[in-house]
Every structure is written in structure tokens, then in C-alpha cells.
Amino acid sequence: MRDGLRFGLLGPPVLYGAGATGGAVPAEDGRPGGPAGGDAGPAHGGVRSVGSGKMRALFVALLLEPGRIVSVDTLKDVLWDAAPPPSAQASLHNHVTRLRRLLDDPERLRAIPPGYLLRVDDGELDVRVFEAHARAARAAHTERDWARTVRECAAALALWRGTPLGGLPVEEPRAQAFVQRLEEARLLLLERRYEAELHLAARTTGQNATGAHALGALAPELTALVAEHPLREAFHRLLMLVLHRTGRQAEALAVHRDLRARLLDELGVEPGPAVRDAHVEILRDHTEEAPGTPTEDAPADTPPRPAQLPPPPAHFTGREKALAELRQALGRGPYEASGTVVISGMAGVGKSALALHLAHELADRFPDGQLYINLHGATPGMTPLTPAQALAALLRDLGTAPRRIPEHPDAAAASLRSTLAPTRTLLVLDDAANAAQVRPLLPAGAGCAVIVTSRSPLTALDGAHRLPLAPLSDDESAALLRAASGRAAGLDATHPLVELTGRLPLALRVVAARLAARRALTPDALAGQLTATEGRLHHLEYDDLSVRRSLAVAHEALRASDREADRDAAHALRRVGALDLPAYGAPLLARLTGTDEFRAETALDRLVDVALLDETSYGRYVPHDLVRHFARELAGTADTTEAVGQALRWYAARARQSLLVLLPPGYERDERLRTTASTAEPEPVEPPFASAEEAFAWGDRELPNIVALVERGGGPAAALVPGLVRHLFPYLHRGGRLAELDVLGRLALHAARSLGDAEAEAFALTDRAGLHFMSGRASEALALNDEGLRLWRRLGVVSCVRRCLNNRGLVLESLGRYEESEETLRQSLELSRQLGDPYGEAVTFSHLGNLYKHTDARAAIAHHERSLALGEIADSLVVRHTAHCNIGYAHLRLGEPAAAVQHFEQSLRILGDDEDWQGESKSRLGLVRALRELGRPDRASHECALLLDLAERRADQYAVGLARHQRGLLLRARGRVEEAYREWERARAILDGTDSPVAVELRELLKDRAR
């Protein structure tokens, strides 16, 4: 051991002085005093304590990752128990500064994003020096070099100052594992040292009194260790032999008697074979060394080194990133936290193949052998192994005679740990059912590593590194197909077989096997078979490979379980198959399964745990494509009809609740809440939304499901569709979800006409007219609106007639039919006054302002200011921000871009975080125009990019086309003419076929290019 010890963790954390030496100072007899190595420690030029509790915690956190970057977030969690205060960043910086001063070396502790790195050179950390001596002691013990064993053990134990990290609360799993492993290493060193001293004393016992004296000196130390560790058999065995060989046979037998009684009483097991052999030696009372005692000249037979790994998987493909992560996790230092990795994922995703590929790659790093056991946690037709069965198998494989394997699982687990502790062995535990099955099989030795595969992530297994395994990428899937089938032509990443197999390695191997077996079967023909049938899983079976069987194991285990949560999970999977939606949440599943949300969420979590669902975001669960097919097979036609009806009723009720918080009290809300001939008011199923934000968040989550359900159509539940879409309209309109509104509105209109429900049809017509207007198709919007207006007049619903007139005036203005527009808007204004509706008046004055913009922009501003005042009376945020937006456009008409910018910005400020995409997009477009005309191209470009991004995220193609038109104008002004033309080409492709004047302008701009 060289001089230079600097950092101490083998006891309370300390910093040794610059003159410290890393060497131990042994006692004259070659060992440190006391059974723990006494208080002996390194000689040093001074020991400095490490500041406050938080300073020590920082010091330890950095030393647990010596020479590696520890992130700021990790350090905050350590210092403040995973609940850092707002001031944590500044406080951490202060602690780092103080620690740097204490280290007296500015280069020792460096800030390297995303955290800090503490440089630790060879021989500077007592833990590393301790581990080096421990490894040397193990090697010497294996070679039966007893004198060197004593020296190395004494050197290691001399560094021990007490419990590692003493004085710090050790609650974090990583630190707990660190302490436990070091304490176990210390006990193994003590065992080896006393074993070696027993052999050294035996050499001289018959020659002189020195050997007998040396043996007698061991007895008090071993007696203290036996008292401290009453169940550790090795110390009892050593004490028994020492007492026997110094003539104290009765005391030796008493030690055995006490140990046996304690083991039977507390664990229900007999002492192990080593203790039994020592007991036999004592009873035979040999004067010479007993046969059961190890000697230098007669080494015990050693079992063959296990090399049990199955052959590496053929055609292993991809997984480079996963392999790199696993290599890093298993490549950590021996005194650090994790020697166990858990590879989890759904059936057939390639967990075992990855584990075996990695195990073969790492085999050379584990010279004491590689163990493999299939725990059959999800093997079709097989019962999972119990921990006792797995322990017995592993101990037999390690050379333990069957009669010496303890029957009690706790004793067997202890025996396995003892056997593996001094070794560097790799264990592969394949197909684990749960953490309880795996936990007893884990070694405690620092040199061992474990690779576990399971459908479950085994989150209850402390200290393990977890890798959830996803299906292959498109390219990896195609590569596996080519390699396993022997077909190269046409099997690229875009081939339909990649998508049809869900990129699942098991399904890809089945398909490849079928292609390899039938050379006349082409990949395209097989893809056609998979596409042409709902029973896709029938085609994904070959020989002993079956996707369905692999999935069925998990479902059947849940269905037959005694646990309510498991049976709920099996029922939930069947309902998932009946609905077949893009994603699921607990509230909907509770309605479908007839349970409460807590039970539904527990059921969904169990399905995640057995890899039948993925939780893609908090509370949202999605099945893999092939799990969808399996779930559909579980559900019958009756299940599907019932589930669709239940789901539509739930969505209709929630949509109505969303309308109540998105629309203020007034005529429009009352109109939309009207029951029609085919619909009744849905029963409330959950507490109402607390805010508009909550309703928008619900809509964003559930909209894909609603579209999928409504598109499926048919059956008695179709009568719910018009009301559902009518109540959802405010969310769709204000959220800018035009693509979904197009689909839903068309289906709602069809359903209303099929039902003969005139009111529902009138609502659907006018809402669909609004969609066409927002999409730039004003002529189609006018035709639909007029059809709806005729129905409302026939039905005599004045407020709805007024709303149609308002919309008609707006559409006519956009078509340039100004006189008709004003006449229509005046009729709407009169009806609003008759109804006493200031909100309706405000909307009409807004439309009149837009009309007057074409002839008298100052008069237009006056009308918008009138609308703004009425919006204040009606307390309507939408009216107020729309008024400022329209005033901005009027100022643009007047050539006053500076004033326009102020009003567009005020419009956006009023809107804030509220959702009204149509108003927001119009204000943002006007702001881009005003900034461009004001000669502020940089900000205009920034705002244009923001508008384009928001429009694309909402799939609002009309707004995308308008934004690209403006971007082209900005590019042309900067001299980037070719880029401008490209933007205009893309804008024209979107806006062609609309009534937008921008479409006409684009055609003219692009004509200039052709000239």
C-alpha cells in the first residue's frame, strides 16, 4: 500500500492531512488490536472533520461516485431528503465553496455540467485501499498462502475506524448497500484471518509452546465475535476448533450446542456442513489434525466452475443503447450500489435474448463462473419456481451436496450468499415472476453481478438498475427479418411486415421462420395474410413460437388469481379489447368495469406490471398493437356493443360538464344545453370540472378516444353523438382542433339526419358552417349556415336564429357582399336587443366593425370600441380580446402599424393562458403583419415562427398557410427570394380551394416567379 491516503469513509467521514500515509501500522504480532482491527488506522499528519451535517452529506455523495460527475439534482436530493427548498441551489453552491476551501486544492472539486466531479487518485480513498487488500487476501486464501492472508487481512482491517459513514443518517438505498457490503467484507476478512492463523498455529503447536499460545490468544477475540454475531456459523466453527485444539473440549462442545439450539429455535435449521465437520473432529478427539480440517498438503476438492449460460441468441440485432446502459450499470466499482440489473418488458420483446447476449459478452469478467436459471415466471404451461426450489438448484450447481442444502429458505439463502461471497460470479435469473422470487437469490459479495429478466420491472427489488425494454426500431426489425429468414430482397424498414408484427422480436422471428420454411411464400403475400384478417395472432404461431400463448399466460394468471386486484385486471383487459381505443384512463375504466376509480387504477397498474399495458404518461395506459389483438379476442360482440354504449354515455356527460365551464351563462350556453327529440340530459357521472383549464386538459387527453368511438358509429349509442359533439364544440372551437371538429361534425350531422331530429340537425349544420368559415371555405360555410337558419326559423328558436344571422353577416363580409352583410347584421342586432343580450350585441358590433373596415376604418374602430364596452358589461374575455384584435386590423388598414402592434399585444395579454385559438391565431397573424410593416423583421420572424409552430401543433392548416405566406414576405425582404418562393408554394398548396384573398395574392406572387 503506498502513501497518500486522503479521504476516509471507513468510519465517520474524514479528510486526512497532506502528510497522511495510506499504510496500516500493524501490531507487533502482525494484526491490529481487537476483533474489528481495533482503533488502529492509518498514520497521518492530522485528520480533519468535514464540516456540518450537510457538508458531510455532500462530501460522502461525491465520494460514492469518485471521479464521476454527480448531478446537481442528485446532490439536492441527498442534502434535503428528496425535498429541496427553493433556496437549495444557492445553499448547495455555498456548501461546495466551503468544501473546496477544506480540500485546499481548487482542482479537486470541479463544476462540470450537469453537476460536480471530485477527483480521487489511486490510493487516496480508504475504501478503495481496503478493497484492494481484501481482494489480495481472498487470492492468498485461495492459494492457501496463510502468512500472506494474515498480512493482507491485517492491512485491510487496520483501515477500519468503525461503521462506514458513521454519524450520517444512512437512509438512501445506495448508501445502505454501500455500508452493508463493506460490513460484510470486513466480516469475511476476519473469517479468513482467523482461518489463516489457525493454520499457522497448527504448524508449531506440536513443536513448541508458541503455537499453543497463539491459538489461545485467538479464543477471546472469537468469543467476542460470536457474541456480536450469534447466527454467523463461521465464527462459531473457528471458536470451536480453537477451544478444542487448546484442550478445552467441553467448552468447544458447549459452543456447538448453543449455536444449534439457537438456529433451531430462531430459523428451524441445523448447523451447516462446516460446523458439523468441526463437531465430528471434536467428538473424535483426534490428537492429530482431523480429516475434516483443511491442511496445506491436502486441499479440499473444489466443484467445477459453473458455465451454464445457454448459447448466445442467433441473429441478435440492435439494442446498442440498451447494451451500453447495462454495461455501465454492471461496470461500477465493487463498493458501489448496484450489481443487479432488471430487464423488463412485454412478452416477446427480447428480454432473454438481450440478457444472454450481454452475459456472454461479460463472461470473462467473472472467472468464478456463470450461473443460469429459468424461474418460469411466465412460461406457458409451467408453474413458477418457488424461491426454495431455485435456491436448491443454484446450491447444487455450485457443488453443495444435496444432503447439505438447508431445507429452510432463509438458511438456504444464507448458504448461497456465503458460497458466492468470495467469488466473482455472474447470475442470470431469467423470467422472474416477482421481486419475492428473486430477492433470496441475490448474492451479497461485491464481486458478483446479477441479470434478471421479468415482465415486471420488479420495483420492490431495492438497489437494482432497471431497464424497460421497448420493441425494436423499424431498421432493427427489418435487419432481424432479413437475418432470420434468409431473405434480403425487399425486406427494408418500410415493409408492411415490420408494422404488422409490432416490431416485436418474437413476432418477427415467427414471421421469419414461416418465410424460411416456405420459400414460395413471399414477404408481400405473408403481409397480405396478416392484413386481411382480424385474427392476426393466428398467423403469428410457428412450431413452439406463439405470441398468443405468451400473452395468454399473464392474462390467465390474473384471471385465476385469488387477489381481487388481479381479477379486476383480467376483467379490465377484456373491456380494453371491447373498446379498442387509443389510450385509457382510470375514470373511463371504472365506468366500464363497474368499480371505483381506485380499483380501476389498481387494475391498470397490474396490467402494466405484467407488461400487458404501458403507462405512456401519468394516468394514461396504452396496449401494444399485438396486445390489442389479443384483448379483442377476449371480448365478444356483446361486450363490444355494451362497452361502446357505456363509453359514449360517459363522454357525453363529461362533454356537457366541460361546456358548463367553457361557456359563460347566456343564450349560447342555454341553446347548447337544450335537449332535443333524440337526446336526453345525460346523468352526471363525476364531479364537475373546477376550471376551464381542467376541462381543456380533459379534452386534450380524451379527444382521440372520442373521435375513435364516434367514427365507429352504429348501434343504439349513435343517438348520443349529436349531443356529444354539440357540447364538445366550445372546446374544439377555442382549442383550434379543426381536423377533429371536421370528422365529428360530419358524423354528428349524419346521425341527426338519420334520427330525424331537426334541432340536432340545425345545430350540426351551423357548427359545421363555423368550421368551414374558420378553414377559409366561406362559400360552403354560407350554404350550410343558410340551411341551418331555415331550420331554426321553422322551429321558432329566436336566439338560434339571431346567432345564425350574426354568422351569416360575418361570412357575407368575407365574400365581399357588403350590403347583404350589413342588412343581415342589422337584423341580428335588433333580435339581440329584443332578447336583452349584451353579449350578442357585442358580437354583432364586432362584425359590423369588420364590415366598415373596408370603407371607413375610423368608423370600424368606433364599432369595435362599442363592442369592447358591451364586452365589459357582459364580462366576456373573448369579446374584449377580439375587440382589440379587430382594432389592430383597422389600424393596419389606416397604415398605422405602431398603433396596431399595441392593440394586438393587448389582445394577447387579455387572452393570457385562456384557450381561444381562433382569436389567438388572428391576433398573432396581425402582430406579424404589423411588425413587418413597422420595419422590425427580427421580431416579426420570431412571432411568425411561433404562430407556425402553434398552428402545426393544432393541425390548423388554414392558419399554417397564412403563416407561411407571411414568412415568405419576410424572407423576400431579407433578399432570400428562393426561400420565399418555397414558402409561398407550400402556402398555396394549403390555401388553394379556399375563399381567402391570400390565395389570390399567392397566385400573383408565384406568377412573378414564372415571368
Side-chain angles (χ1 to χ4, degrees), residues 700-712:
D700 291 343
R701 284 194 306 271
E702 301 294 345
L703 186 58
N705 285 357
I706 294 171
V707 173
L709 269 177
V710 173
E711 279 188 311
R712 191 172 304 169

Side-chain angles (χ1 to χ4, degrees), residues 266 282 356 364 386 453 542 553 573-574 643 695 758 838 875 904 953:
E266 296 186 21
I282 296 166
L356 289 174
D364 290 344
T386 66
T453 73
Y542 188 84
V553 171
L573 185 63
R574 183 168 173 169
D875 192 24
F904 290 131
R953 276 195 269 160

Side-chain angles (χ1 to χ4, degrees), residues 501-842:
T501 55
R503 302 167 194 80
L504 200 66
L506 174 59
L508 289 162
R509 288 180 182 277
V510 172
V511 165
R514 294 187 64 190
L515 289 173
R518 295 180 60 193
R519 305 306 294 180
L521 179 64
T522 66
D524 290 346
L526 182 53
Q529 292 177 11
L530 291 171
T531 304
T533 175
E534 274 296 301
R536 186 182 303 176
L537 298 182
H538 291 295
H539 295 283
L540 296 178
E541 294 184 355
Y542 188 84
D543 200 356
D544 63 338
L545 302 177
S546 170
V547 174
R548 178 193 284 105
R549 271 204 310 276
S550 294
L551 295 172
V553 171
H555 173 259
E556 183 57 28
L558 293 172
R559 191 189 63 79
S561 172
D562 293 331
R563 297 176 61 215
E564 179 183 68
D566 288 351
R567 296 193 302 276
D568 284 349
H571 182 45
L573 185 63
R574 183 168 173 169
R575 304 306 271 176
V576 164
L579 268 189
D580 196 21
L581 296 177
Y584 300 85
L588 175 59
L589 256 293
R591 180 67 176 250
L592 295 174
T593 56
T595 60
D596 57 44
E597 281 192 36
F598 177 79
R599 276 183 62 182
E601 185 173 14
T602 302
L604 289 165
D605 287 340
R606 277 296 290 141
L607 291 172
V608 170
D609 199 43
V610 297
L612 289 172
L613 291 181
D614 286 324
E615 189 174 14
T616 54
S617 60
Y618 179 70
R620 301 302 288 174
Y621 302 84
V622 176
H624 183 273
D625 283 349
L626 296 181
V627 175
R628 286 186 187 279
H629 282 272
F630 176 71
R632 282 202 293 266
E633 289 184 359
L634 295 175
T637 305
D639 285 333
T640 298
T641 302
E642 180 189 7
V644 168
Q646 287 176 323
L648 276 174
R649 281 189 288 276
W650 185 78
Y651 280 120
R654 292 300 275 164
R656 187 177 189 278
Q657 288 176 321
S658 75
L659 179 145
L660 291 171
V661 294
L662 295 179
L663 285 184
Y667 281 102
E668 184 178 357
R669 184 161 87 166
D670 293 343
E671 292 162 6
R672 292 191 178 277
L673 291 175
R674 289 168 62 96
T675 57
T676 66
S678 62
T679 60
E681 181 178 323
E683 296 180 7
V685 292
E686 291 185 42
F689 293 110
S691 64
E693 291 78 11
E694 188 179 322
F696 272 110
W698 172 84
D700 291 343
R701 284 194 306 271
E702 301 294 345
L703 186 58
N705 285 357
I706 294 171
V707 173
L709 269 177
V710 173
E711 279 188 311
R712 191 172 304 169
L720 296 165
V721 170
L724 166 60
V725 177
R726 182 169 73 249
H727 293 154
L728 203 60
F729 183 84
Y731 157 75
L732 296 166
H733 173 249
R734 288 177 57 182
R737 308 302 293 261
L738 302 189
E740 293 89 346
L741 180 55
D742 188 14
V743 173
L744 293 173
R746 173 173 45 79
L747 295 170
L749 180 58
H750 174 75
R753 285 171 170 166
S754 299
L755 294 164
D757 187 336
E759 280 199 34
E761 182 183 355
F763 267 117
L765 284 165
T766 50
D767 285 347
R768 194 146 180 76
L771 166 72
H772 283 285
F773 179 73
M774 290 184 284
S775 303
R777 302 193 297 273
S779 297
E780 298 169 57
L782 182 62
L784 288 165
N785 190 78
D786 284 352
E787 192 176 349
L789 178 59
R790 285 192 293 273
L791 276 174
W792 285 125
R793 280 177 166 153
R794 179 160 61 81
L795 292 166
V797 184
V798 175
S799 61
C800 291
V801 170
R802 184 276 312 271
R803 186 158 59 88
C804 277
L805 289 171
N806 238 341
N807 292 340
R808 189 173 194 273
L810 181 65
V811 175
L812 287 167
E813 177 263 326
S814 73
L815 290 170
R817 295 161 63 176
Y818 301 141
E819 291 183 6
E820 293 175 77
S821 172
E822 182 169 9
E823 179 184 355
T824 302
L825 290 172
R826 296 294 178 190
Q827 293 173 20
S828 173
L829 188 61
E830 181 59 33
L831 289 177
S832 292
R833 287 168 176 164
Q834 290 177 20
L835 293 166
D837 181 13
Y839 175 82
E841 284 189 70

Side-chain angles (χ1 to χ4, degrees), residues 457-474:
L458 305 184
T459 52
L461 201 63
D462 293 336
H465 178 90
R466 292 173 182 82
L467 177 77
L469 198 61
L472 297 172
S473 69
D474 289 348

Side-chain angles (χ1 to χ4, degrees), residues 474-488:
D474 289 348
D475 288 329
E476 291 169 342
S477 300
L480 178 56
L481 276 175
R482 290 193 297 270
S485 69
R487 307 277 189 96

